[in-house]
Amino acid sequence: MELNVFRSMSYGVYITTSYYGGRAAGCITNSNTQITSNPATVSVSVNHDNYTNKCIRESGKFAFTILSEKSDPALIGHFGFQSSKDVHKLEKLEVPVKWINGVPAIETGCGYVVCEVIGTMETETHTIFLGKVIEAKVLSTETPMTYRYYHEVIRGKSPKNAPTYIPQEKEEKKKAGNLHHYVCQVCGYIYEGELLPDDFVCPICKHGAQDFEQID
């Protein structure tokens, strides 16, 4: 079965956030979908293991930010490759956060949407939350980041809890002259060059050269 066919479908890249029990949570999602425009309703799929899932379920509210091609890839590393259960993700965040009806919305990228949960559906690994839109704001006219752009241009890897994560996914890279390829063991970013600089920092997860492994 060629699961990579799903990369030809239209997906965005989003930061989905919520708040419950005195703690904010957020994760990267890529299957957010508009259901209707009047009344405005959307859906988002969140892995059962994500702390954000628990916060949305308990609070009945969530928000999501639509990332653009100009968004800092480090945001994906920050929200996608560590758990809100262990890390206060809104602390020391270098982009503004707006609180709307008790929900944090990340003010960056193309815009944000804030919702109240009006229904859920369970799959084996994910909860699909259906949300009634209570607030929405356009932040820029930048080009939205797509799942394909994230993989092919940023060369990022899907977080293991993402709906579109493929366990065996490997980026196929060909050698060109003296070029080598090094993969980040944290987020899957692939660096191409003659040698990996000792002071190199992953543009996605901000880990250093010590967390990279040569793959050719």
Side-chain angles (χ1 to χ4, degrees):
M1 187 181 299
E2 298 180 3
L3 297 180
N4 285 348
V5 68
F6 291 122
R7 293 186 183 174
S8 297
M9 295 179 66
S10 179
Y11 297 95
V13 182
Y14 312 89
I15 301 172
T16 294
T17 51
S18 189
Y19 182 87
Y20 176 73
R23 192 178 187 93
C27 65
I28 296 297
T29 56
N30 65 351
S31 57
N32 301 37
T33 305
Q34 178 185 350
I35 305 300
T36 62
S37 58
N38 187 22
T41 55
V42 298
S43 67
V44 60
S45 176
V46 183
N47 193 284
H48 293 155
D49 293 336
N50 280 14
Y51 188 73
T52 305
N53 184 306
K54 173 182 173 63
C55 289
I56 296 175
R57 187 182 301 278
E58 297 293 342
S59 70
K61 303 172 186 177
F62 66 90
F64 63 86
T65 294
I66 304 163
L67 296 182
S68 77
E69 291 182 356
K70 293 184 179 180
S71 293
D72 186 352
L75 285 169
I76 299 174
H78 183 72
F79 283 96
F81 293 92
Q82 53 186 353
S83 174
S84 294
K85 186 182 298 182
D86 306 318
V87 178
H88 291 278
K89 295 184 180 180
L90 267 61
E91 291 184 358
K92 300 180 180 179
L93 198 61
E94 295 183 359
V95 294
V97 178
K98 184 173 183 179
W99 288 83
I100 302 166
N101 199 24
V103 184
I106 312 301
E107 289 192 291
T108 188
C110 299
Y112 63 77
V113 179
V114 183
C115 304
E116 293 179 349
V117 176
I118 57 174
T120 62
M121 183 173 69
E122 298 296 334
T123 72
E124 184 175 341
T125 58
H126 288 67
T127 302
I128 300 171
F129 294 100
L130 183 65
K132 174 184 176 182
V133 178
I134 59 174
E135 181 62 78
K137 183 177 181 180
V138 174
L139 297 174
S140 77
T141 57
E142 295 171 357
T143 302
M145 184 185 298
T146 63
Y147 183 58
R148 178 183 289 274
Y149 182 93
Y150 172 63
H151 276 279
E152 296 184 358
V153 179
I154 297 180
R155 295 183 295 173
K157 176 181 175 183
S158 298
K160 66 182 181 65
N161 286 343
T164 48
Y165 174 70
I166 302 173
Q168 295 81 23
E169 77 174 353
K170 294 180 180 179
E171 302 296 334
E172 294 182 358
K173 300 290 182 179
K174 295 181 179 179
K175 294 182 181 180
N178 294 323
L179 296 183
H180 299 286
H181 301 89
Y182 303 80
V183 62
C184 176
Q185 298 301 295
V186 178
C187 71
Y189 174 81
I190 294 178
Y191 171 87
E192 181 181 84
E194 293 184 7
L195 290 174
L196 180 70
D198 291 338
D199 60 352
F200 183 78
V201 175
C202 178
I204 295 180
C205 69
K206 300 302 182 183
H207 279 245
Q210 71 277 5
D211 292 315
F212 278 72
E213 178 179 310
Q214 187 171 341
I215 58 175
D216 56 14

